[in-house]
């Protein structure tokens, strides 16, 4: 600390060490998190734009760290990806999401679909299709009620390899959604070959809609593109009535965002869904 005041270099070095130490600690804790049952799934409702009916939910992972409290997925999913831990964590997510959806189906909501995010490492694992099949079977869930969300950049990274995986999954009846659409570099030709059923417009574009930026033009173009390819268009991150009205008028099929519902623990979800139904 004496030297740090003089040239700042040591200070910089010290904070680097703390950061590296932090990361290492996070990694070690992440290894134990599964067996310590520190993960939970929250569910964010999705709605049909035209009539406001609920179509299901996206499962989003939450980590309740014993000391740090809630750690956001953006802060540990990349670490889990780097260490390979995303494979067992991802299997847990799919299993838990399917278990929960089975419960909701049994409660009379058979029309609901559950959307689960796949990381790049999971998507590129040759075991994925078999894992998905056995998980669905274990919970007696029809494949049509599962939506697997793959980001545009993951899907387009190695198009031929992606097509092999996506075709196996799609042929088994599972729905494919291209997430964070508009942030990667899709060629129209490649997109046309993907057996996807929906495009999810990245939240960043929805965010800026009202600021008179280019984003209204981009969103308009994505909706037109999706319609021409017969894909459902989902807008995520809808926060205002204005955004909702604009997207609905444009022809977006489904809407998701804080305006209609935040991600919530399962025990809140059913009550919230019933409240929507009652309106
Ligand atoms: P994503 O898949 O793009 O998920 C959407 C994110 O936007 C979620 O953040 C959600 O809570 C947030 N969001 C939804 N509506 C709104 C809104 O109206 N306004 C704002 N500001 N945000 C909204 P979350 O839950 O923090 O997740 C962040 C990312 O972490 C996800 O982005 C996804 O890439 C990843 N992730 C989350 N759960 C999983 C998982 O189970 N597996 C994998 N592989 N990745 C996951
Ligand atoms: Ca997603
Ligand atoms: Ca997204
Ligand atoms: Ca995202």
């Amino acid at each position: 600390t004496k030297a740090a005041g003089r040239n700042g270099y040591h200070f910089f070095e010290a904070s680097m060490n703390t950061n590296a130490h932090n990361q290492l600690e996070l990694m070690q804790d992440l290894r134990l998190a599964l067996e310590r049952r520190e993960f939970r799934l929250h569910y964010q409702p999705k709605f049909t734009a035209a009539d406001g009916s609920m179509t299901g939910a996206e499962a989003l992972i939450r980590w309740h760290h014993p000391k740090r409290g809630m750690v956001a997925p953006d802060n540990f999913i990349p670490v889990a990806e780097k260490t390979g831990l995303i494979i067992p964590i991802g299997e847990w997510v799919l299993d838990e999401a399917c278990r929960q959806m089975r419960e909701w189906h049994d409660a009379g909501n058979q029309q609901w679909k559950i959307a689960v995010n796949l990381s790049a490492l999971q998507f590129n694992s040759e075991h994925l299709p078999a894992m998905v099949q056995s998980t669905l079977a274990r919970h007696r869930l029809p494949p049509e009620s599962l939506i697997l969300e793959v980001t545009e950049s993951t899907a387009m990274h190695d198009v031929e390899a992606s097509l092999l995986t996506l075709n196996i999954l799609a042929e088994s009846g599972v729905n494919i959604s291209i997430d964070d659409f508009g942030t990667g570099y899709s060629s129209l030709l490649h997109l046309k070959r993907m057996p996807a059923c929906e495009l999810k417009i990245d939240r960043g574009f929805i965010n800026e809609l009202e600021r008179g930026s280019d984003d209204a033009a981009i969103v308009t173009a994505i909706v037109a593109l999706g319609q021409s390819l017969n894909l459902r268009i989902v807008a995520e991150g809808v926060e205002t009535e204005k955004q909702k009205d604009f997207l609905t008028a444009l022809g977006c099929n489904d809407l998701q965002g804080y305006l209609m519902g935040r991600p919530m623990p399962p025990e809140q979800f059913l009550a919230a869904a019933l409240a929507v139904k009652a309106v």
Side-chain angles (χ1 to χ4, degrees):
T1 39
K2 289 168 277 162
R6 241 180 285 135
N7 56 23
Y9 177 74
H10 290 278
F11 177 74
F12 177 66
E13 198 175 59
S15 73
M16 285 280 285
N17 279 336
T18 317
N19 206 356
H21 175 255
N22 234 331
Q23 284 292 103
L24 193 68
E25 202 179 72
L26 198 74
M27 215 183 276
Q28 282 161 348
D29 291 347
L30 199 56
R31 272 181 222 291
L32 299 168
L34 259 184
E35 57 185 81
R36 289 184 179 166
R37 301 171 154 274
E38 289 166 2
F39 295 120
R40 290 215 69 194
L41 293 184
H42 281 195
Y43 297 88
Q44 185 176 33
K46 292 170 76 177
F47 300 87
T48 307
D51 65 4
S53 60
M54 194 184 289
T55 60
E58 177 176 4
L60 294 156
I61 195 168
R62 299 290 178 259
W63 181 14
H64 294 270
H65 190 282
K67 280 190 234 124
R68 295 169 196 240
M70 181 97 94
V71 184
D74 286 333
N75 291 328
F76 71 87
I77 293 287
V79 182
E81 175 96 5
K82 228 183 291 169
T83 54
L85 284 168
I86 193 67
I87 298 293
I89 294 173
E91 282 182 25
W92 176 83
V93 169
L94 186 69
D95 186 69
E96 175 58 18
C98 288
R99 189 201 59 74
Q100 183 61 70
M101 194 40 79
R102 175 77 255 166
E103 204 178 295
W104 286 335
H105 277 202
D106 288 345
N109 305 291
Q110 289 90 345
Q111 74 286 5
W112 285 356
K113 295 184 198 297
I114 182 75
V116 173
N117 294 284
L118 290 183
S119 81
L121 204 69
Q122 273 181 293
F123 183 66
N124 295 323
S125 148
E126 56 176 331
H127 305 297
L128 177 73
M131 193 271 286
V132 170
Q133 282 320 301
S134 64
T135 307
L136 286 167
R138 188 160 58 248
H139 298 286
R140 295 170 292 111
L141 214 59
E144 295 73 28
S145 49
L146 177 65
I147 302 175
L148 292 176
E149 297 194 2
V150 183
T151 66
E152 179 188 21
S153 46
T154 296
M156 297 297 164
H157 179 70
D158 178 349
V159 173
E160 297 307 322
S162 291
L163 279 170
L164 281 177
T165 306
L166 290 176
N167 282 326
I168 298 172
L169 291 168
E171 273 161 27
S172 75
V174 169
N175 302 287
I176 308 293
S177 171
I178 309 290
D179 202 359
D180 297 354
F181 191 79
T183 59
Y185 299 91
S186 288
S187 102
L188 192 58
L189 214 63
H190 291 151
L191 191 61
K192 219 171 128 177
R193 292 170 67 204
M194 302 258 162
C197 65
E198 71 175 37
L199 293 183
K200 240 174 149 171
I201 308 174
D202 189 69
R203 184 151 58 83
F205 298 113
I206 311 300
N207 228 315
E208 299 284 318
L209 271 183
E210 279 150 59
R211 309 235 170 113
S213 63
D214 299 335
D215 289 354
I218 293 173
V219 170
T220 306
I222 294 176
V223 173
L225 171 72
Q227 285 171 341
S228 72
L229 292 175
N230 256 322
L231 298 168
R232 286 186 83 79
I233 306 295
V234 185
E236 69 175 3
V238 181
E239 293 184 355
T240 69
E241 289 286 347
K242 259 190 167 163
Q243 290 166 350
K244 181 181 159 199
D245 293 344
F246 177 81
L247 293 161
T248 304
L250 214 57
C252 257
N253 303 93
D254 297 302
L255 305 174
Q256 186 182 343
Y258 291 174
L259 177 69
M260 291 82 61
R262 287 180 177 256
M264 53 194 133
E267 54 279 7
Q268 270 174 41
F269 189 85
L270 213 50
L274 287 172
V276 172
K277 269 187 193 166
V279 174

